[in-house]
Amino acid sequence: MSNFLKEEGIGVEYLEKKRAQGQATEQKLIDAALTLMRQRGYDAVSIRDICRQAGATTGAFYHHFRSKEEMLERGGRQLDLYIQGQLESRSFYSSLSALRIIFTAYAEYMEQNQGELTARYYQNMLAISAARPFDEGRTVYQMVRFYVAQAQQKGILADSYSAEEVSSFCVRHFRGIVVDWALHNYNFSLMETMEREFNMVYRCFKSRRAPMI
């Protein structure tokens, strides 16, 4: 029995190693694609270019993605990781401060990393007919809902609407600002607009006893 378990353990370890290698390859492909697309634009980058940049085969590409469009959609999830990293690295003292970091980090990521890819990203989300272009299971949505619920519990935000309703409104509203920024050819400061709109949304949902900001 011990030999059997030992053999089974080796099998599990092997599968874990393969899974980690697969995730690393997928990330390399996404990073390579975003780098090239920022430099050349979306249409000028081929799958072969991406594979060459990543040091991977086209077979590896199609193992992870069905198309360049799907890759861009999954690459958009790097936003979630960026926002999570900002929450972990910045000091905040309240749920309201955490929400401000989430949405300003969202704007910061788009301005610094996405550029002209932003419009293409949302175009592709429509093209692939995603059931929920901003899936409520995503980390960033879960973070917003967590801090909204916390702010309601602490009496900072009113509880006239559920945490789910407020979170959904906020995510849709701020996503709309990014789309508007792309439609206007990125000719205004997304960070400044996000700050201003955050204050406006706060005034709409704050409790009567909560301070103005």
Side-chain angles (χ1 to χ4, degrees):
M1 179 65 74
S2 60
N3 288 338
F4 174 76
L5 290 174
K6 186 177 180 181
E7 289 175 4
E8 285 295 300
I10 291 172
V12 170
E13 185 178 329
Y14 173 78
L15 290 175
E16 282 297 314
K17 183 178 179 181
K18 292 293 288 184
R19 184 180 65 81
Q21 288 174 340
Q23 289 178 336
T25 299
E26 180 178 310
Q27 191 60 53
K28 281 183 182 178
L29 287 163
I30 290 173
D31 290 343
L34 292 176
T35 296
L36 291 174
M37 288 172 187
R38 289 181 198 119
Q39 292 171 354
R40 308 180 193 174
Y42 180 85
D43 292 320
V45 176
S46 68
I47 289 173
R48 192 177 296 276
D49 292 332
I50 294 167
C51 293
R52 190 181 301 116
Q53 176 83 3
T57 65
T58 53
F61 179 94
Y62 286 111
H63 174 74
H64 293 284
F65 311 102
R66 288 175 294 182
S67 63
K68 200 168 67 168
E69 289 75 20
E70 185 182 271
M71 166 179 268
L72 182 60
E73 185 274 328
R74 217 177 300 172
R77 293 176 183 269
Q78 301 303 299
L79 166 66
D80 296 31
L81 296 175
Y82 180 80
I83 292 173
Q84 192 169 3
Q86 292 301 302
L87 272 176
E88 291 170 357
S89 63
R90 297 186 191 180
S91 297
F92 60 89
Y93 304 99
S94 70
S95 47
L96 185 63
S97 299
L99 287 167
R100 183 189 293 277
I101 287 173
I102 289 171
F103 290 113
T104 55
Y106 181 17
E108 186 174 59
Y109 179 85
M110 288 296 181
E111 284 193 323
Q112 293 181 2
N113 297 283
Q114 289 296 90
E116 66 179 33
L117 290 179
T118 304
R120 178 67 73 163
Y121 171 74
Y122 287 112
Q123 253 183 340
N124 287 343
M125 292 311 304
L126 291 172
I128 64 176
S129 301
R132 290 182 178 178
F134 206 103
D135 181 8
E136 293 181 1
R138 281 180 58 176
T139 304
V140 65
Y141 181 85
Q142 296 298 323
M143 288 188 289
V144 171
R145 186 164 60 180
F146 174 83
Y147 287 112
V148 165
Q150 192 177 82
Q152 288 180 328
Q153 291 167 5
K154 292 180 180 297
I156 298 171
L157 297 180
D159 57 4
S160 308
Y161 299 96
S162 70
E164 288 74 17
E165 289 173 316
V166 175
S167 301
S168 180
F169 175 88
C170 289
V171 169
R172 286 185 284 114
H173 179 76
F174 290 113
R175 183 179 63 210
I177 295 170
V178 175
V179 172
D180 189 54
W181 175 64
L183 290 173
H184 283 83
N185 201 29
Y186 322 103
N187 64 2
F188 60 83
S189 169
L190 186 58
M191 278 288 289
E192 290 178 8
T193 303
M194 198 71 82
E195 281 274 7
R196 185 171 61 252
E197 295 280 337
F198 180 85
N199 292 339
M200 290 174 63
V201 169
Y202 169 68
R203 287 196 290 271
C204 290
F205 289 107
K206 81 177 195 69
S207 69
R208 289 186 177 181
R209 66 176 184 273
M212 296 297 290
I213 58 172

